[in-house]
Amino acid sequence: MTPLFISWNVDPILLNLGPLAIRWYGLMFAIGFLAGYMIVARMFRHEGAPEKWLGTLLMYLVICTVVGARLGHVFFYDWEYYSTHTSEIFKIWEGGLASHGGAIANFIGLCMFSWCVAKKNPSWTIDKIVAPVALTAGLIRLGNLFNSEIYGVPTDMPWGFIFVRDGQTLPAHPTQIYEALCYFALFGLLMWMYWRRNAEERPWLMTGIFFIWTFGTRFFIEYLKNPQELWEAEMSLNMGQQLSIPFIAAGIAMTVYAYIRPRQHWTFPGRFADEPVKK
């Protein structure tokens, strides 16, 4: 009789180039940022924003994502260890990134970009970024799958994965796939809202939906996950769930605010602001 599970033993390293190893996780990360750059470039062109802002915006996002996610892991999940091993905080290649930390750092960084570079309300920038962020988050979860990490508790469902490389012998919930599918669906929704429903005319609406969907699904999927740290095992709500609650509340407030305020109507030139008008 065919066993009702999937034996997962994929090598996390896609390609070895001497001292350089290309990992699936890094590839997913890079694809997400490249796709995000192209998506936001199209939005900037649609609204007539300067093309030169794109490079600066990408720099803000890369730095805030990496630094914020790392510090989130350090302070939210393992400060007891890192407080006495501060030199290891910078060893990102050894693993340890927290999405909540990345979200907080990106929100702060995008506000700074909006005020210092774009000279606009932060909602103008953040409402555009959340769609590619949802796509990148889904790709990163697939990277976690290739790393055989952040999976769930044992299950007898036919799609259970046995993560051989992590020494597991029982099928477990592939929570990386659950989250990835949720994020890809959110990406599709946000793109539809922007291009078909003119959601950019309601400041903070797309960000609000992003927070509710992303952290709402994260909250419930956490019930199927193994604790990231041993001290979470006895908690009724683990750290990931506790950190998700403020984001969900903020998302609800943003969505309500977006709908009680009048629409902002824009004229879209369909070109970058610094491009000459074709005659």
Side-chain angles (χ1 to χ4, degrees), residues 114-115 119-126 203-204:
S114 301
W115 293 325
K119 310 296 183 183
K120 294 179 180 293
N121 187 290
S123 65
W124 182 86
T125 306
I126 300 174
W204 296 118

Side-chain angles (χ1 to χ4, degrees), residues 57 59-73 75-76 98-113 126 129 133 211 215 247:
L57 178 58
M59 179 185 68
Y60 272 77
L61 286 172
V62 171
I63 294 174
C64 290
T65 298
V66 175
V67 175
R70 181 57 173 174
L71 293 181
H73 174 78
F75 290 113
F76 296 150
S99 57
H100 293 91
I104 294 171
N106 269 311
F107 191 88
I108 295 172
L110 290 173
C111 286
M112 293 176 61
F113 171 86
I126 300 174
I129 293 301
V133 166
F211 280 170
F215 295 101
F247 285 98

Side-chain angles (χ1 to χ4, degrees), residues 12-15 21-28 147:
I13 297 178
L14 173 62
L15 187 63
I22 299 177
R23 303 178 67 91
W24 284 103
Y25 185 91
L27 178 63
M28 295 296 105
N147 281 349

Side-chain angles (χ1 to χ4, degrees), residues 70 73-75 77-91 94-96:
R70 181 57 173 174
H73 174 78
V74 169
F75 290 113
Y77 289 97
D78 212 3
W79 176 241
E80 183 176 353
Y81 174 80
Y82 287 106
S83 62
T84 57
H85 300 79
T86 53
S87 63
E88 296 189 22
I89 292 176
F90 305 100
K91 297 181 179 179
E94 293 184 357

